[in-house]
Amino acid sequence: MIDYPTSLLRRILLAPALVAGAAVAAQAAPAVTRVYGVVASYGDKRANPRGPATLAKILRSVHAFYDQGSGGRHEFVAKVHPQVLALAQPRPDGSCRLPDPGVLSAALRDAGIDLATYDALALVVPASRDGCKGGVQTAFVHRDASGRARRVPLAVSWSLTDRFVAHEILHTHGLGHAKALVCRGASLGADCTPREYGNVWDLMGNGSFQMLSAPLRTLMGWAVPVLHASGRASYTLGAPTRPGGLPTAVQVPLAFTGNDLVTVTQPLQLWIEYRPPIGFDKRMASPSLVNFATGAMVNITGAWQGRVGRAVRTVACPVASPCLVDTTPETGSFKDAGLAPGRTWTEPFTGIQVTVRSSGEETLEVNVALP
């Protein structure tokens, strides 16, 4: 349900090059994303008069999220239409149906809304007749008052919920969903299945309004991971919500092309980070998530095919949709998927060892050793 702009697809495909150029990008002028917010209602649905004020409050939180995640290097600018936009149609039949593009474009035009200087439209609209939860990111063709047509990225939420609105806006940057990698009794292997939305400790998963994981922060230009390509080294990582001048992730390419059961189709990389309960990650303070609050979160990106009996299973974890790795697969739960202090996790494909030496309120000491 995600419609990626061509320029952003190109950026995703070139993700490894992004890391090499990230230091240069970090010194560039701050990025700016401009979004126009609209609360709309159908002709057969009573409008919420407080909707625009609520959306404005949500978009102020999105501004704070961009500022915190990027360390002030990415500015989010939003304007909200002060009245509920009346759409001249009843709610669409079915579920998860969008308003008619022509009706939406006409309503924007009649309200004098000019989208020419905005990167996307954030639209909050009642669900269609059979309902829908969450939102969707797509695009529509808008014809302005002068008759010029423009394809506008559209972030739709079917409720005035902050995490849904923010999630769909971030899709307009080319981000996919944050997944979890479910393997049978192992962290990695041939018999693995990416669970869509599975990383519920990432805004792009099925979680709360909290920080993005390291691969997605890198795509956004918010993080410059340390690249560990050989040998053994120790790193001090800062929290993504309060880095303190420290790197917030270690990126580890895996020198693994496959074996009798696994064929690698896209290069594999590990992403190691620290997610203490600070700022937008305050949810990490939950007692049930102690391994994340005090240890390391590990994601994997890349793709492989695994042979399970006669079946061939494709596992895809692109940089835009990374997969959370369970470093404690023996428990069968992702609540303790993080790597706790004092523990060592051995990556199954290559034998790389990751050891969390210690953690503090804002920093993590981690050792990475290549065999």
Side-chain angles (χ1 to χ4, degrees):
M1 299 179 76
I2 307 168
D3 187 5
Y4 296 133
T6 302
S7 61
L8 293 174
L9 274 174
R10 187 180 303 113
R11 191 172 176 224
I12 293 169
L13 293 172
L14 297 176
L18 288 178
V19 176
V24 175
Q27 299 173 3
V32 180
T33 294
R34 294 180 172 85
V35 170
Y36 196 91
V38 169
V39 176
S41 191
Y42 297 112
D44 62 340
K45 182 74 174 176
R46 184 179 179 182
N48 177 4
R50 301 186 63 180
T54 302
L55 180 58
K57 181 179 179 180
I58 289 172
L59 294 183
R60 286 194 293 271
S61 294
V62 176
H63 167 87
F65 184 85
Y66 275 61
D67 185 67
Q68 188 175 104
S70 70
R73 297 191 302 273
H74 192 158
E75 184 179 7
F76 178 84
V77 179
K79 181 178 180 180
V80 176
H81 189 61
Q83 288 87 37
V84 177
L85 194 70
L87 300 177
Q89 67 169 106
R91 285 173 294 165
D93 292 330
S95 64
C96 301
R97 301 297 297 273
L98 298 174
D100 180 270
V103 171
L104 175 60
S105 185
L108 293 167
R109 194 165 54 245
D110 293 345
I113 297 172
D114 184 2
L115 299 177
T117 61
Y118 291 92
D119 300 301
L121 174 67
L123 176 68
V124 180
V125 65
S128 42
R129 292 185 184 275
D130 292 337
C132 199
K133 296 181 180 179
V136 64
Q137 193 273 310
T138 181
F140 78 111
V141 176
H142 173 55
R143 193 171 296 277
D144 64 20
S146 67
R148 289 174 298 192
R150 178 191 169 208
R151 190 171 182 269
V152 179
L154 178 63
V156 178
S157 174
W158 285 292
S159 69
L160 282 160
T161 305
D162 55 4
R163 68 184 179 98
F164 294 153
V165 173
H167 179 109
E168 301 307 332
I169 288 173
L170 281 158
H171 272 319
T172 69
H173 292 284
L175 303 189
H177 292 136
K179 305 174 185 176
L181 191 62
V182 181
C183 307
R184 291 182 180 269
S187 298
L188 299 172
D191 191 9
C192 295
T193 303
R195 180 186 294 166
E196 198 79 2
Y197 301 100
N199 188 347
V200 298
W201 302 282
D202 183 318
L203 176 59
M204 301 312 291
N206 191 20
S208 65
F209 193 2
Q210 66 185 102
M211 193 45 61
L212 306 174
S213 56
L216 299 183
R217 296 199 312 276
T218 300
L219 274 182
M220 289 292 291
W222 295 0
V224 182
V226 178
L227 185 65
H228 182 98
S230 62
R232 176 190 299 266
S234 295
Y235 303 97
T236 301
L237 300 180
T241 54
R242 194 183 296 166
L246 295 170
T248 60
V250 180
Q251 181 184 4
V252 187
L254 301 185
F256 178 69
T257 57
N259 53 31
D260 291 342
L261 297 178
V262 174
T263 301
V264 174
T265 55
Q266 291 182 4
L268 305 179
Q269 300 181 87
L270 297 180
W271 304 73
I272 305 162
E273 61 184 307
Y274 185 37
R275 300 289 296 277
I278 300 172
F280 278 92
D281 269 341
K282 61 184 178 182
R283 180 185 177 219
M284 292 300 186
S286 170
S288 66
L289 304 179
V290 63
N291 287 16
F292 287 128
T294 63
M297 176 183 285
V298 180
N299 276 272
I300 189 168
T301 58
W304 67 93
Q305 290 183 332
R307 285 176 288 283
V308 183
R310 295 182 178 181
V312 176
R313 179 165 292 169
T314 298
V315 183
C317 302
V319 176
S321 294
C323 293
L324 176 66
V325 173
D326 187 356
T327 67
T328 59
E330 62 274 9
T331 68
S333 170
F334 270 88
K335 288 186 176 182
D336 62 353
L339 185 62
R343 290 192 63 245
T344 295
W345 173 67
T346 301
E347 184 275 308
F349 286 154
T350 65
I352 290 173
Q353 291 190 324
V354 180
T355 301
V356 176
R357 299 171 61 188
S358 64
S359 65
E361 292 184 1
E362 299 181 16
T363 61
L364 181 82
E365 299 289 335
V366 63
N367 180 271
V368 181
L370 271 63

